[in-house]
Amino acid sequence: MAAPTLNLSSPGVINGNTGDYDKDNALFLKIFSGEVLTAFKRSCIFDALCQSRTIQSGRSAQFPVTGRFTAKYATPGEMLVGQGDMAQNEVVIRIDDYLVADASLYSLQEAKSAFDIRAIYSTELGQALARTHDQRLARTLAIGARTSTSDLTADLPSGLSPDDPYRTGTVVDINKATPTADDLVASVFAAAEALDMKDVSKDNRVLVCTPESFYTLIQSSRAVNYDFNQQGTNGAYSNGQIAKLAGFSIYSSNDIAQGNVTAQSGEQGYVSNGSVVKSTVNMTNTKMLAFQKGAVGVVKLRDLSMGMTGNDYDVMYNATLMTAKFALGVGCLRPECCVEVTNSQ
């Protein structure tokens, strides 16, 4: 008696639609996509802490910037005629070229592998995009903190100064050869004070530290100590955690200590006060970035997408090409929301 024919299941087929390579492997693409998305979200810290906007078409997005009016008590019989022009300007975020991470996997080497090498490659592609994007956001925040010339200088109503924050950033210099944990805590409170003085909202304030600064903060006698915080509510030495300090939610990132960086050629930058600004900046001495969510904007024209070649490519090259890419722009919208903590020594 002949052996029965097996009725094989096809996990890569959509609703039984088979017949060629793409149809037989349709659902496998979803697995690859999910791995890239998961890796990107897990590795990207700054992106979720900044505001994001998606556009359907175009090469840039405009963000209007407005100043303030003043208020006064009315004089009986006096006609109200208005205050004239209000200080106003704009920030334009331009869409960069595609940011791409790609890998070619030789089919014979894949066949020899004892593990799922595509899953590893797809994870690395997502992390590569996340690292580059996060580093760009960190550099933009540093540039915002170093912005010392306001883009709202014309048509300021009489009597407004010094109430107007002038839309400038803040740099806090620890300026110590060997700063202690309490020195870092003091710099964080100085950052909070700077934001308060510029009327920056207390909501969604964030502090992102280098790992060195993060673990130094935890050892402060004031950040986690029981005498200053209700026990267990603000982290613990045993877990290496600290939740809040001076109103900031605290994170650690390797993407702050970048050194002296020149913007890549595909970066288009953003237009502020009539000048194109790209993320060329020296962050050698940067230790922490304190900011509020409105500080930096991300404009997405093409969100994260993944691709994998099919049978024709494999016939020509005996390989599979995997890509992950997006097209977006990054710009500093509110310099007054940015504080850079550095150490010049």
Side-chain angles (χ1 to χ4, degrees):
M1 180 178 179
T5 301
L6 295 178
N7 293 319
L8 296 175
S9 299
S10 301
V13 173
I14 298 177
N15 295 327
N17 185 15
T18 64
D20 57 37
Y21 181 89
D22 291 332
K23 293 179 181 179
D24 293 344
N25 293 273
L27 291 180
F28 294 143
L29 294 173
K30 297 289 194 303
I31 298 174
F32 169 62
S33 301
E35 288 163 347
V36 174
L37 284 168
T38 301
F40 181 85
K41 292 179 180 179
R42 185 189 302 121
S43 302
C44 212
I45 292 178
F46 285 95
D47 186 71
L49 305 176
C50 300
Q51 56 178 312
S52 180
R53 173 179 171 185
T54 300
I55 60 176
Q56 300 302 316
S57 61
R59 60 186 180 89
S60 62
Q62 177 190 40
F63 294 82
V65 177
T66 58
R68 301 179 179 183
F69 285 124
T70 59
K72 65 178 181 179
Y73 290 103
T75 301
E78 180 183 13
M79 180 184 296
L80 299 178
V81 295
Q83 298 182 46
D85 293 333
M86 178 175 59
Q88 55 192 17
N89 211 321
E90 68 176 5
V91 174
V92 178
I93 297 180
R94 308 197 299 185
I95 301 298
D96 300 329
D97 295 344
Y98 269 124
L99 184 64
V100 179
D102 59 314
S104 293
L105 183 60
Y106 188 49
S107 59
L108 184 58
Q109 292 180 339
E110 181 182 11
K112 292 178 179 179
S113 177
F115 50 86
D116 184 3
I117 196 169
R118 292 194 185 194
I120 296 175
Y121 274 47
S122 62
T123 298
E124 289 299 324
L125 292 178
Q127 291 180 346
L129 285 178
R131 282 193 300 270
T132 302
H133 182 48
D134 246 25
Q135 289 169 356
R136 167 80 176 284
L137 289 169
R139 295 197 301 272
T140 304
L141 286 164
I143 290 171
R146 299 178 192 185
T147 300
S148 57
T149 302
S150 172
D151 54 5
L152 290 180
T153 56
D155 302 318
L156 292 176
S158 176
L160 186 60
S161 181
D163 295 332
D164 197 290
Y166 295 117
R167 284 178 51 83
T168 57
T170 304
V171 177
V172 176
D173 188 0
I174 300 172
N175 195 25
K176 290 191 176 182
T178 309
T180 66
D182 285 350
D183 290 333
L184 266 64
V185 170
S187 70
V188 175
F189 276 91
E193 178 184 354
L195 295 180
D196 286 349
M197 292 180 67
K198 296 179 181 181
D199 289 334
V200 175
S201 171
K202 293 181 180 293
D203 295 333
N204 299 309
R205 287 189 182 183
V206 178
L207 177 73
V208 183
C209 316
T210 63
E212 178 188 9
S213 299
F214 179 83
Y215 288 109
T216 301
L217 279 177
I218 294 175
Q219 299 176 60
S220 167
S221 60
R222 294 186 290 169
V224 184
N225 193 287
Y226 176 78
D227 293 334
F228 293 89
N229 302 280
Q230 183 178 348
Q231 188 172 16
T233 61
N234 200 45
Y237 295 115
S238 59
N239 295 328
Q241 294 178 343
I242 179 172
K244 300 278 286 190
L245 184 61
F248 294 103
S249 299
I250 302 178
Y251 300 86
S252 174
S253 173
N254 285 320
D255 293 328
I256 293 179
Q258 300 182 41
N260 194 356
V261 181
T262 301
Q264 297 184 43
S265 59
E267 180 182 321
Q268 303 304 321
Y270 63 99
V271 181
S272 178
N273 211 16
S275 300
V276 177
V277 182
K278 297 186 179 181
S279 64
T280 295
V281 64
N282 189 347
M283 298 181 67
T284 302
N285 298 325
T286 307
K287 303 301 179 185
M288 295 179 278
L289 293 169
F291 58 99
Q292 199 267 349
K293 190 169 185 176
V296 169
V298 178
V299 177
K300 299 179 180 180
L301 177 61
R302 292 289 183 267
D303 211 339
L304 183 62
S305 63
M306 287 64 63
M308 186 166 64
T309 55
N311 190 47
D312 290 343
Y313 190 91
D314 184 62
V315 169
M316 289 186 290
Y317 297 105
N318 292 316
T320 298
L321 174 65
M322 299 182 292
T323 65
K325 63 183 179 181
F326 54 60
L328 49 75
V330 174
C332 181
L333 301 179
R334 298 183 61 193
E336 70 269 26
C337 296
C338 305
V339 181
E340 179 188 19
V341 178
T342 69
N343 187 9
S344 58
Q345 292 197 34

